[in-house]
Structure formats: C-alpha cells, structure tokens
Short mmCIF file of all heavy atoms in Angstrom, two decimals:
data_model
loop_
_atom_site.label_atom_id
_atom_site.label_comp_id
_atom_site.label_asym_id
_atom_site.label_seq_id
_atom_site.Cartn_x
_atom_site.Cartn_y
_atom_site.Cartn_z
N GLY X 1 -10.49 29.17 -11.12
CA GLY X 1 -9.57 29.02 -10.00
C GLY X 1 -9.23 27.58 -9.65
O GLY X 1 -8.55 27.33 -8.66
N ARG X 2 -9.69 26.64 -10.42
CA ARG X 2 -9.40 25.22 -10.16
C ARG X 2 -8.60 24.64 -11.33
O ARG X 2 -8.81 25.01 -12.48
CB ARG X 2 -10.69 24.43 -9.97
CG ARG X 2 -11.43 24.85 -8.73
CD ARG X 2 -12.64 24.01 -8.53
NE ARG X 2 -13.36 24.47 -7.35
CZ ARG X 2 -13.47 23.78 -6.24
NH1 ARG X 2 -12.94 22.58 -6.16
NH2 ARG X 2 -14.13 24.26 -5.22
N ARG X 3 -7.73 23.72 -11.01
CA ARG X 3 -6.90 23.09 -12.04
C ARG X 3 -7.69 21.98 -12.73
O ARG X 3 -8.33 21.15 -12.08
CB ARG X 3 -5.65 22.49 -11.38
CG ARG X 3 -4.74 21.82 -12.38
CD ARG X 3 -3.53 21.26 -11.71
NE ARG X 3 -2.79 20.43 -12.66
CZ ARG X 3 -1.50 20.40 -12.76
NH1 ARG X 3 -0.77 21.15 -11.96
NH2 ARG X 3 -0.91 19.63 -13.63
N VAL X 4 -7.64 21.99 -14.06
CA VAL X 4 -8.29 20.95 -14.86
C VAL X 4 -7.21 20.28 -15.69
O VAL X 4 -6.52 20.93 -16.48
CB VAL X 4 -9.39 21.54 -15.78
CG1 VAL X 4 -10.00 20.44 -16.63
CG2 VAL X 4 -10.44 22.26 -14.96
N ASP X 5 -7.04 18.98 -15.51
CA ASP X 5 -6.08 18.20 -16.27
C ASP X 5 -6.82 17.31 -17.27
O ASP X 5 -7.86 16.73 -16.94
CB ASP X 5 -5.23 17.31 -15.36
CG ASP X 5 -4.22 18.10 -14.55
OD1 ASP X 5 -4.02 19.29 -14.83
OD2 ASP X 5 -3.62 17.51 -13.62
N ILE X 6 -6.28 17.21 -18.47
CA ILE X 6 -6.84 16.36 -19.50
C ILE X 6 -5.90 15.16 -19.66
O ILE X 6 -4.71 15.33 -19.90
CB ILE X 6 -6.97 17.08 -20.86
CG1 ILE X 6 -7.71 18.40 -20.72
CG2 ILE X 6 -7.62 16.17 -21.89
CD1 ILE X 6 -9.15 18.29 -20.32
N TYR X 7 -6.46 13.96 -19.53
CA TYR X 7 -5.68 12.73 -19.64
C TYR X 7 -6.13 11.97 -20.88
O TYR X 7 -7.30 12.02 -21.25
CB TYR X 7 -5.90 11.83 -18.42
CG TYR X 7 -5.43 12.44 -17.13
CD1 TYR X 7 -6.28 13.18 -16.33
CD2 TYR X 7 -4.12 12.25 -16.70
CE1 TYR X 7 -5.84 13.74 -15.14
CE2 TYR X 7 -3.67 12.80 -15.51
CZ TYR X 7 -4.54 13.55 -14.74
OH TYR X 7 -4.10 14.09 -13.56
N GLU X 8 -5.20 11.29 -21.51
CA GLU X 8 -5.51 10.41 -22.62
C GLU X 8 -5.20 8.99 -22.20
O GLU X 8 -4.18 8.73 -21.56
CB GLU X 8 -4.66 10.74 -23.86
CG GLU X 8 -5.34 11.65 -24.82
CD GLU X 8 -4.57 11.81 -26.12
OE1 GLU X 8 -3.57 11.13 -26.36
OE2 GLU X 8 -5.00 12.67 -26.88
N TYR X 9 -6.10 8.07 -22.56
CA TYR X 9 -5.87 6.66 -22.28
C TYR X 9 -6.43 5.85 -23.44
O TYR X 9 -7.15 6.37 -24.29
CB TYR X 9 -6.49 6.24 -20.94
CG TYR X 9 -7.99 6.40 -20.87
CD1 TYR X 9 -8.83 5.32 -21.15
CD2 TYR X 9 -8.57 7.61 -20.54
CE1 TYR X 9 -10.19 5.45 -21.08
CE2 TYR X 9 -9.93 7.75 -20.47
CZ TYR X 9 -10.75 6.67 -20.74
OH TYR X 9 -12.10 6.80 -20.69
N GLU X 10 -6.07 4.60 -23.49
CA GLU X 10 -6.48 3.74 -24.61
C GLU X 10 -7.19 2.52 -24.07
O GLU X 10 -6.77 1.93 -23.08
CB GLU X 10 -5.24 3.33 -25.41
CG GLU X 10 -5.54 2.66 -26.71
CD GLU X 10 -4.30 2.45 -27.56
OE1 GLU X 10 -3.19 2.46 -27.02
OE2 GLU X 10 -4.47 2.26 -28.76
N ILE X 11 -8.28 2.15 -24.75
CA ILE X 11 -8.99 0.93 -24.39
C ILE X 11 -8.99 0.00 -25.60
O ILE X 11 -8.88 0.46 -26.74
CB ILE X 11 -10.43 1.21 -23.92
CG1 ILE X 11 -11.23 1.91 -25.01
CG2 ILE X 11 -10.43 2.03 -22.64
CD1 ILE X 11 -12.71 2.05 -24.68
N GLY X 12 -9.07 -1.29 -25.35
CA GLY X 12 -9.16 -2.27 -26.43
C GLY X 12 -7.84 -2.63 -27.07
O GLY X 12 -7.82 -3.16 -28.18
N ASN X 13 -6.71 -2.37 -26.40
CA ASN X 13 -5.41 -2.71 -26.99
C ASN X 13 -4.49 -3.34 -25.93
O ASN X 13 -3.31 -2.99 -25.85
CB ASN X 13 -4.75 -1.47 -27.60
CG ASN X 13 -3.53 -1.82 -28.43
OD1 ASN X 13 -3.39 -2.94 -28.90
ND2 ASN X 13 -2.63 -0.87 -28.61
N GLU X 14 -5.03 -4.23 -25.15
CA GLU X 14 -4.21 -4.90 -24.14
C GLU X 14 -3.27 -5.90 -24.83
O GLU X 14 -3.59 -6.43 -25.90
CB GLU X 14 -5.09 -5.62 -23.13
CG GLU X 14 -5.84 -4.65 -22.24
CD GLU X 14 -6.36 -5.30 -20.98
OE1 GLU X 14 -5.86 -6.39 -20.62
OE2 GLU X 14 -7.25 -4.72 -20.36
N PRO X 15 -2.10 -6.15 -24.24
CA PRO X 15 -1.20 -7.16 -24.82
C PRO X 15 -1.91 -8.50 -24.93
O PRO X 15 -2.65 -8.89 -24.03
CB PRO X 15 -0.05 -7.23 -23.81
CG PRO X 15 -0.11 -5.96 -23.05
CD PRO X 15 -1.56 -5.55 -23.03
N SER X 16 -1.70 -9.21 -26.03
CA SER X 16 -2.39 -10.47 -26.26
C SER X 16 -1.44 -11.50 -26.87
O SER X 16 -1.01 -11.36 -28.01
CB SER X 16 -3.58 -10.25 -27.21
OG SER X 16 -4.15 -11.49 -27.59
N ALA X 17 -1.16 -12.53 -26.09
CA ALA X 17 -0.32 -13.62 -26.60
C ALA X 17 -1.05 -14.36 -27.71
O ALA X 17 -0.43 -14.82 -28.68
CB ALA X 17 0.05 -14.57 -25.47
N GLY X 18 -2.36 -14.48 -27.61
CA GLY X 18 -3.14 -15.18 -28.64
C GLY X 18 -3.05 -14.50 -29.98
O GLY X 18 -2.85 -15.15 -31.01
N ARG X 19 -3.20 -13.17 -29.99
CA ARG X 19 -3.06 -12.43 -31.26
C ARG X 19 -1.66 -12.54 -31.80
O ARG X 19 -1.45 -12.70 -33.00
CB ARG X 19 -3.42 -10.94 -31.06
CG ARG X 19 -4.88 -10.66 -30.97
CD ARG X 19 -5.26 -9.19 -31.15
NE ARG X 19 -4.27 -8.20 -30.84
CZ ARG X 19 -4.26 -7.43 -29.75
NH1 ARG X 19 -5.19 -7.58 -28.83
NH2 ARG X 19 -3.33 -6.53 -29.57
N ALA X 20 -0.66 -12.48 -30.91
CA ALA X 20 0.74 -12.56 -31.35
C ALA X 20 1.02 -13.93 -31.98
O ALA X 20 1.68 -14.01 -33.02
CB ALA X 20 1.67 -12.31 -30.17
N ILE X 21 0.53 -15.00 -31.35
CA ILE X 21 0.73 -16.34 -31.91
C ILE X 21 0.05 -16.46 -33.26
O ILE X 21 0.61 -17.00 -34.22
CB ILE X 21 0.23 -17.41 -30.92
CG1 ILE X 21 1.15 -17.47 -29.70
CG2 ILE X 21 0.14 -18.78 -31.60
CD1 ILE X 21 0.62 -18.31 -28.55
N GLY X 22 -1.17 -15.92 -33.36
CA GLY X 22 -1.89 -15.96 -34.64
C GLY X 22 -1.12 -15.24 -35.74
O GLY X 22 -0.99 -15.75 -36.86
N HIS X 23 -0.59 -14.06 -35.43
CA HIS X 23 0.19 -13.31 -36.42
C HIS X 23 1.47 -14.08 -36.77
O HIS X 23 1.86 -14.13 -37.94
CB HIS X 23 0.56 -11.92 -35.90
CG HIS X 23 -0.58 -10.96 -35.86
ND1 HIS X 23 -1.28 -10.59 -36.98
CD2 HIS X 23 -1.14 -10.29 -34.83
CE1 HIS X 23 -2.22 -9.72 -36.65
NE2 HIS X 23 -2.16 -9.53 -35.34
N GLY X 24 2.11 -14.68 -35.78
CA GLY X 24 3.34 -15.44 -36.04
C GLY X 24 3.09 -16.62 -36.95
O GLY X 24 3.87 -16.89 -37.88
N VAL X 25 2.01 -17.35 -36.70
CA VAL X 25 1.66 -18.51 -37.55
C VAL X 25 1.38 -18.05 -38.97
O VAL X 25 1.86 -18.66 -39.94
CB VAL X 25 0.45 -19.27 -36.95
CG1 VAL X 25 -0.12 -20.27 -37.94
CG2 VAL X 25 0.84 -19.96 -35.65
N MET X 26 0.62 -16.96 -39.10
CA MET X 26 0.33 -16.45 -40.45
C MET X 26 1.60 -15.97 -41.15
O MET X 26 1.75 -16.16 -42.36
CB MET X 26 -0.70 -15.32 -40.38
CG MET X 26 -2.09 -15.79 -39.99
SD MET X 26 -2.76 -17.02 -41.13
CE MET X 26 -2.95 -16.04 -42.60
#
C-alpha cells in the first residue's frame, strides 16, 4: 500500500575543466 520509487544517479563523473584541458592538450 505504499509507493516505492527507484531512482538512478551517477557518482564520480562531475564536470572537470582539468580533465578537459588534459584531453585537449593530448
């Protein structure tokens, strides 16, 4: 008799200027 919701989320993938610069240089 109770509602159960399933949520999906992601960890470890925040936007990163440092990674982007590294990929750009490479």
Side-chain angles (χ1 to χ4, degrees):
R2 295 183 182 247
R3 180 180 170 140
V4 178
D5 288 349
I6 308 294
Y7 296 92
E8 265 188 7
Y9 62 95
E10 190 172 20
I11 59 172
N13 191 22
E14 290 198 18
S16 172
R19 283 195 335 255
I21 290 170
H23 287 300
V25 168
M26 290 301 293

